[in-house]
């Protein structure tokens, strides 16, 4: 089956200088929630691996059962739409389970960057986030590692997976002591699934509302532009943080929505940690690979110096995907040369564009021959407006994948959309 669907784009030029681009391909129907997706996949293949981390495998059936049990527990302590679950954790199976439980309970999941919780001395940002959102529960995967952050937050309801903390609930206890409620309906499409926080480099981080409709429609768009997913469940080896829309919405959900498997990579694109990524790739060859240019800058020389690793890496790879920054032409040439040398099939480089507010995909480069740096064309279901602002064009987006706004910040929300309802990037 083809890797890329053929794009079919229409363009409208307006008298004010703006340009409207949209796909002629209709967006197909999609599930109403992540919870509904998980239940369907668990029924289809309960024993298939959803996530693998440090030798532990979580199957779809186990994930569904755990999500339902945690939803019962979360509802029993009063969590819901107005009482989110703050998550202090790196990428881990426990993090995934708490997120899935929150979704099923109708409580927004709030994965927080570990930079705010582990690398901060005053924890000012997580305290500001807590003040804005009033979480009903804070989960820490390690009570000792996140002890300083938990002390700074001072919240009553604390849940931990490992370590000891006085008064804290234990994740394993909730998983084993609560039974799913029979006949419980899942959340609706417009229920808030998660709150993702922007970097906050210029002030208090903004809580971007992510509804189930946003996340499910965004995956339906990827299924439309990458038709091979219908017959080939993806295998990811991925480090990108789930507190960010690229890792948590795009990549993790890509595995879940398509019955695939995500192998959680503990590495990072930094010399002290990149060896873990190489070890992970040596163990499991991915079928799709996502990284930032800094990661590819470290990966290329590793593949060039180890033909065995390169052959294994490219053995079933559909494409190499880069985003978040520009990929230098010289690095792109090296990656293409490696694919040509070690793969027995085409392995294109591709990219996309989006933001936290677009869940994240708004455009995708699902065609060959484009220059490095091309962000592609609008995804099915998305309308992109190139609007004149001064002497430049601003990308604006409308579609089911676009946020309804910022959590408890109505003035900021109002300023973020133009008169036609396009999100202003």
């Amino acid at each position: 089956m083809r890797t890329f669907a053929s794009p079919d784009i229409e363009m409208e030029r307006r008298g004010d200088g703006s340009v409207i681009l949209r796909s002629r391909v209709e967006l197909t129907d999609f599930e109403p929630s992540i919870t509904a997706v998980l239940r369907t996949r668990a029924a289809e293949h309960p024993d298939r691996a959803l996530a693998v981390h440090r030798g532990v495998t979580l199957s779809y059936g186990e994930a569904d059962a755990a999500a339902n049990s945690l939803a019962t527990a979360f509802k029993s302590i009063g969590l819901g739409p107005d009482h989110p679950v703050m998550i202090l954790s790196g990428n881990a199976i426990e993090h995934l389970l708490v997120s899935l439980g929150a979704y099923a309970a109708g409580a927004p999941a709030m994965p927080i960057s570990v930079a705010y919780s582990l690398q901060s001395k005053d924890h000012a940002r997580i305290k500001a986030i807590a003040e804005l959102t009033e979480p009903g529960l804070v989960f820490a995967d390690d009570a000792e590692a996140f002890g300083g952050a938990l002390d700074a937050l001072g919240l009553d309801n604390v849940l931990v997976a490992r370590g000891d903390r006085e008064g804290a609930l234990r994740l394993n206890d909730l998983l084993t002591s609560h039974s799913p409620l029979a006949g419980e309906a899942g959340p609706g499409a417009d229920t808030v699934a998660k709150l993702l926080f922007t970097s906050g480099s210029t002030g208090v981080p903004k809580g971007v509302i992510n509804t189930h409709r946003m996340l499910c429609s965004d995956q339906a768009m990827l299924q439309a532009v990458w038709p091979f997913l219908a017959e080939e469940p993806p295998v990811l080896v991925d480090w990108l943080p789930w507190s960010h829309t690229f890792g948590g919405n795009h990549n993790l959900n890509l595995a879940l929505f398509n019955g695939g498997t995500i192998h959680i990579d503990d590495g990072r694109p930094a010399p002290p940690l990149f060896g873990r990524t190489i070890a992970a790739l040596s163990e499991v060859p991915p079928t799709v690979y996502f990284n930032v240019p800094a990661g590819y800058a470290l990966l290329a020389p590793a593949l060039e110096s180890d033909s065995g690793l390169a052959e294994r890496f490219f053995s079933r790879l559909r494409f190499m995907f880069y985003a978040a920054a520009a990929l230098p032409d010289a690095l792109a040439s090296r990656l293409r040369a490696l694919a040509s040398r070690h793969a027995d099939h085409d392995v294109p480089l591709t990219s996309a564009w989006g933001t936290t507010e677009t869940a994240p995909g708004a455009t995708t480069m699902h065609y060959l021959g484009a220059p490095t740096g091309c962000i592609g064309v609008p995804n099915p279901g998305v309308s992109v407006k190139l609007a004149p602002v001064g002497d430049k064009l601003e990308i604006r987006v409308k579609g089911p994948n676009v946020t309804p706004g910022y959590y408890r910040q109505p003035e900021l929300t109002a300023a973020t959309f133009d008169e036609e309802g396009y999100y202003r990037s």
Side-chain angles (χ1 to χ4, degrees), residues 61-73:
E62 290 168 337
D64 183 46
N68 291 331
S69 295
L70 287 176
T72 303

Side-chain angles (χ1 to χ4, degrees), residues 165-187:
R165 186 174 180 86
E166 185 178 356
L169 301 168
R170 301 197 65 83
L171 180 61
N172 192 58
D173 292 342
L174 298 192
L175 289 169
T176 57
S177 62
H178 288 77
S179 300
L181 295 176
E184 276 286 295

Side-chain angles (χ1 to χ4, degrees), residues 341-377:
R341 186 179 312 130
H342 295 286
D344 61 2
H345 58 283
D346 290 333
V347 184
L349 270 170
T350 187
S351 189
W353 177 85
T355 69
T356 307
E357 288 84 352
T358 63
T363 72
T364 304
M365 189 178 72
H366 55 103
Y367 49 89
L368 302 177
T372 305
C374 176
I375 63 171
V377 294

Side-chain angles (χ1 to χ4, degrees), residues 58-151:
L58 175 72
S59 72
Y60 278 83
E62 290 168 337
D64 183 46
N68 291 331
S69 295
L70 287 176
T72 303
F74 290 166
K75 288 182 178 182
S76 72
I77 60 176
L79 302 185
D82 296 323
H83 299 288
V85 179
M86 177 180 280
I87 299 174
L88 307 181
S89 173
N91 297 1
I93 286 176
E94 295 85 355
H95 180 158
L96 175 56
L97 292 178
V98 171
S99 297
L100 294 173
Y103 300 152
M110 298 197 310
I112 306 299
S113 170
V114 294
Y116 296 174
S117 53
L118 293 182
Q119 300 170 19
S120 173
K121 294 182 179 179
D122 60 8
H123 299 103
R125 285 180 175 169
I126 60 169
K127 288 191 287 187
I129 290 170
E131 184 177 352
L132 172 69
T133 61
E134 300 179 276
L137 178 73
V138 57
F139 166 70
D141 70 350
D142 188 313
E144 295 180 6
F146 291 95
L150 292 173
D151 291 341

Side-chain angles (χ1 to χ4, degrees), residues 49 59 77 152 170 176 200 208 228 249 266 301 381 386 417:
S59 72
I77 60 176
R170 301 197 65 83
T176 57
V208 182
F228 70 93
N249 287 347
D266 283 328
L386 304 178
F417 297 90

